[in-house]
Amino acid sequence: MNKESKNCLLKIKRCLYVMILSMAMLSSLPVTASANSAEPPSLVILVKNPPDDLAIVMVSNEHQTEASVRRVAWEGYYVYRSRDMQADGQYRFKVATKGESFECAIDSPLQDYNNVFTLDLAQEELTPGKYPFRQAILVSIRLLLTLIIEGVVFWLLGFRQRISWLVFLTINLVTQGALNLWLNNGGSLIPSYLLIALIFGEFFVFVAELIAFPYFIKEHKKSRIMIYVIIANLLSLIAGGYIISVLPV
């Protein structure tokens, strides 16, 4: 490795700490929808591979409210709005599928919005949060697709040096990794709300990469590097919006 490459690697390491800290601050921000947007869901019951006839009904005093359903790939989201939440502190649900039914309950207090519980049909259990390894699987899928898209753009614009690709991987793993972790932490599972968060997060990614790429890559002129950043992030935003609509987040 020549002296120029060693110096570039040293710069990458120094800047990496700054970028990780910045992205960590982004990840710590809550994922919220705009105040002018439609009301977010109060409760979402998440079900893996739900049967087509699965119905979940909230039983509260004389009220029986059936959840509205949205399906995305292998997941089903059974949604209740604040107007549906009739009970105070305790919520009982009747789950029916394939001619059979069972009941489960939520005894813990709920927040006003974006409460997520996972229903295990086999165990007939309702537990707070999302199922194990969900975040790791989904973040890995989205990150891999983003690297492929942006890598194609990087190649087509003539970047061939090994050090350039090392910079490409390092910066994207930090920025896109932090963005996807942020999208998966808290907030709504409903795509329309996550699109707002995606646009907000991509802005910070764009600014970070617009600074970092021209600083570290010396293979081509800064104008070509900035063109890459603009095209790659625009394609990532479009692809990210499409992925959110067809895959769970």
Side-chain angles (χ1 to χ4, degrees):
M1 184 179 293
N2 57 37
K3 185 177 180 180
E4 182 180 353
S5 297
K6 289 181 179 179
N7 290 335
C8 188
L9 283 174
L10 182 59
K11 288 181 180 180
I12 291 174
K13 289 179 181 179
R14 289 175 179 173
C15 190
L16 188 57
Y17 294 118
V18 177
M19 292 181 64
I20 290 174
L21 179 61
S22 300
M23 291 299 147
M25 293 174 65
L26 171 63
S27 300
S28 67
L29 295 173
V31 181
T32 56
S34 169
N36 295 323
S37 299
E39 178 191 27
S42 181
L43 171 65
V44 177
I45 298 177
L46 173 62
V47 186
K48 286 178 63 178
N49 300 312
D52 292 336
D53 65 344
L54 178 64
I56 302 177
V57 177
M58 179 188 295
V59 181
S60 173
N61 300 325
E62 298 178 355
H63 301 279
Q64 293 193 16
T65 307
E66 185 170 354
S68 59
V69 184
R70 180 180 179 85
R71 298 174 187 269
V72 178
W74 62 87
E75 291 185 347
Y77 310 135
Y78 294 76
V79 179
Y80 290 96
R81 307 285 177 176
S82 60
R83 61 181 176 272
D84 302 322
M85 311 300 283
Q86 302 290 341
D88 293 327
Q90 290 189 342
Y91 302 92
R92 188 161 53 92
F93 301 90
K94 182 178 179 180
V95 181
T97 181
K98 298 179 181 178
E100 300 180 353
S101 65
F102 63 89
E103 290 191 358
C104 51
I106 297 176
D107 298 324
S108 58
L110 300 180
Q111 301 176 0
D112 290 337
Y113 299 110
N114 295 326
N115 299 278
V116 178
F117 283 72
T118 296
L119 176 63
D120 187 329
L121 290 174
Q123 300 297 323
E124 300 184 355
E125 292 180 348
L126 191 60
T127 56
K130 304 162 188 174
Y131 53 85
F133 306 112
R134 181 183 187 274
Q135 178 168 288
I137 293 170
L138 295 177
V139 168
S140 298
I141 291 173
R142 292 198 304 271
L143 186 56
L144 179 60
L145 291 175
T146 300
L147 288 175
I148 292 173
I149 292 170
E150 298 200 2
V152 169
V153 177
F154 201 65
W155 176 267
L156 290 176
L157 287 176
F159 294 92
R160 298 291 187 271
Q161 293 180 4
R162 182 178 179 183
I163 190 65
S164 297
W165 280 93
L166 179 59
V167 171
F168 165 84
L169 288 173
T170 302
I171 293 176
N172 274 290
L173 285 174
V174 173
T175 57
Q176 295 296 333
L179 172 63
N180 283 285
L181 285 172
W182 179 60
L183 289 174
N184 271 81
N185 284 330
S188 175
L189 295 176
I190 307 304
S192 57
Y193 300 102
L194 287 168
L195 283 172
I196 299 172
L198 175 65
I199 294 171
F200 178 77
E202 277 286 3
F203 171 77
F204 286 96
V205 170
F206 173 74
V207 172
E209 293 187 355
L210 203 58
I211 296 171
F213 273 103
Y215 181 76
F216 290 118
I217 294 181
K218 308 301 179 184
E219 184 176 355
H220 293 294
K221 293 180 179 180
K222 288 187 177 181
S223 58
R224 183 184 297 198
I225 299 170
M226 294 176 72
I227 289 172
Y228 155 73
V229 174
I230 293 170
I231 294 175
N233 279 278
L234 180 59
L235 290 177
S236 290
L237 178 60
I238 295 171
Y242 176 73
I243 291 170
I244 283 176
S245 68
V246 298
L247 288 179
V249 178

